[in-house]
Amino acid sequence: MKAPNEFLSQLERTGSGLRKSFFASSMGKVTAGFLLLVAVIGLTDYLVGWEVPVRTTLAWLALALVLVGSLIAWRRAARVPMTMIAARADAAAGDSRREVSAALDIAKGSASESSSLHEYLSGLLTARAAGSLASLPAKQLFSRKEHLAAWRFAAWAGAALVVLAFIHPRATGIIAGRLFRPASELPPYSPYAFSLVGENAPRVIYGKEASLAVEIEGPPFTGEVTLLIRPAGGGEADRLPTFRETSTRYTRKLEGVTAPVDFAFAVGRARSAWHRLEVIYPPRLE
């Protein structure tokens, strides 16, 4: 019984390497699917400009799909049967007699046969098959061509994303930042550049008037420029109209400011980053 057991151990070692190759191949498909999903989400963010809740949901969805895909790939690789491993070994060795498959059948049925002749013959066959398996290079069981075929689509998808990054680095950088930091409040991509006029961290004395202004550079637009105001730290934003001072400058005054607020300027779906208007409180007299 020693030879059949040695053969089964050698077949299991061969199968372990083959299963790893199957898993790596399947992960190529998972990677391709992930890159395709990233491209679709990025394209829709380019067109729509998703807000934080939607981007967070999409990020969790992408992560869940990758985890589920990886788990399925691992389960499929782990369940590759010994008969398939033996058949691959025979095909890789070019053995028309299917010696490894025959040895596997004999090793499985060796416990039910007790004659000394059967043990002798099965020992010869399984020992020869174990030697064949030991001398068989792993690359013959799972060829480089199979690996490349599995990862080809992932490579094409990755190359397409790299080309897009070279063609439009600003848009790619903004969208990538919004996708991989979904909880951040980075403004969506737009052809417009918003620049605050005056202090980057404006302040106003408690109860006084604050004047906020922005310069907008980019292609001509016909929409209304609005000022978004919300409580400091987040919350629902109110939209206030602005006044046009020059062809690129827009301003809005806030009266009686008594608490810090966050603000941003917007035109259509394009907006600036959020800024904080701080309040300077008068000194308290004892």
Side-chain angles (χ1 to χ4, degrees):
M1 298 298 291
K2 182 179 178 181
N5 290 336
E6 289 180 351
F7 164 75
L8 291 175
S9 297
Q10 181 61 52
L11 186 62
E12 183 59 42
R13 287 193 292 271
T14 302
S16 177
L18 185 59
R19 290 185 180 104
K20 291 177 182 178
S21 296
F22 275 121
F23 177 71
S25 174
S26 298
M27 286 306 296
K29 299 175 183 178
V30 174
T31 302
F34 172 73
L35 293 176
L36 180 61
L37 182 60
V38 167
V40 171
I41 295 175
L43 177 61
T44 55
D45 186 63
Y46 174 86
L47 297 173
V48 179
W50 300 118
E51 293 299 333
V52 170
V54 177
R55 282 187 283 125
T56 302
T57 301
L58 292 174
W60 280 112
L61 175 62
L63 179 60
L65 289 176
V66 169
L67 292 177
V68 170
S70 301
L71 179 60
I72 291 174
W74 176 79
R75 285 176 62 87
R76 286 182 175 177
R79 292 182 175 182
V80 172
M82 299 294 278
T83 52
M84 180 183 292
I85 298 169
R88 278 225 169 208
D90 287 329
D95 186 359
S96 59
R97 296 174 300 174
R98 301 179 64 248
E99 190 174 73
V100 176
S101 296
L104 176 60
D105 291 337
I106 290 176
K108 285 181 176 180
S110 59
S112 61
E113 296 286 347
S114 58
S115 68
S116 58
L117 178 61
H118 179 271
E119 289 183 6
Y120 173 74
L121 294 176
S122 63
L124 287 178
L125 179 58
T126 53
R128 188 165 59 243
S132 299
L133 285 173
S135 62
L136 189 65
K139 63 181 180 181
Q140 286 186 232
L141 284 172
F142 201 91
S143 67
R144 184 181 179 185
K145 184 177 181 180
E146 287 181 282
H147 277 297
L148 292 177
W151 282 88
R152 184 176 295 118
F153 186 71
W156 278 109
L161 293 177
V162 171
V163 170
L164 286 176
F166 275 106
I167 294 175
H168 211 320
R170 178 172 174 265
T172 305
I174 291 173
I175 293 172
R178 285 167 55 82
L179 293 185
F180 292 103
R181 288 189 293 162
S184 68
E185 293 188 304
L186 294 171
Y189 168 76
S190 76
Y192 301 105
F194 297 80
S195 302
L196 286 186
V197 177
E199 297 181 88
N200 286 329
R203 297 177 295 173
V204 61
I205 298 175
Y206 178 87
K208 298 297 183 179
E209 177 185 272
S211 181
L212 305 174
V214 67
E215 292 275 355
I216 303 177
E217 297 180 359
F221 58 87
T222 58
E224 180 183 14
V225 177
T226 57
L227 177 67
L228 306 178
I229 293 289
R230 70 182 187 187
E236 189 171 348
D238 295 325
R239 286 182 175 267
L240 303 176
T242 61
F243 304 95
R244 183 174 181 177
E245 290 188 344
T246 67
S247 60
T248 59
R249 178 179 293 189
Y250 296 81
T251 185
R252 171 74 194 207
K253 291 183 179 180
L254 301 177
E255 298 179 352
V257 180
T258 59
V261 294
D262 292 338
F263 70 94
F265 288 91
V267 53
R269 72 171 187 84
R271 68 165 174 84
S272 69
W274 286 99
H275 301 274
R276 177 69 54 83
L277 174 62
E278 298 288 356
V279 173
I280 303 174
Y281 294 96
R284 179 177 297 178
L285 299 177
E286 299 295 340

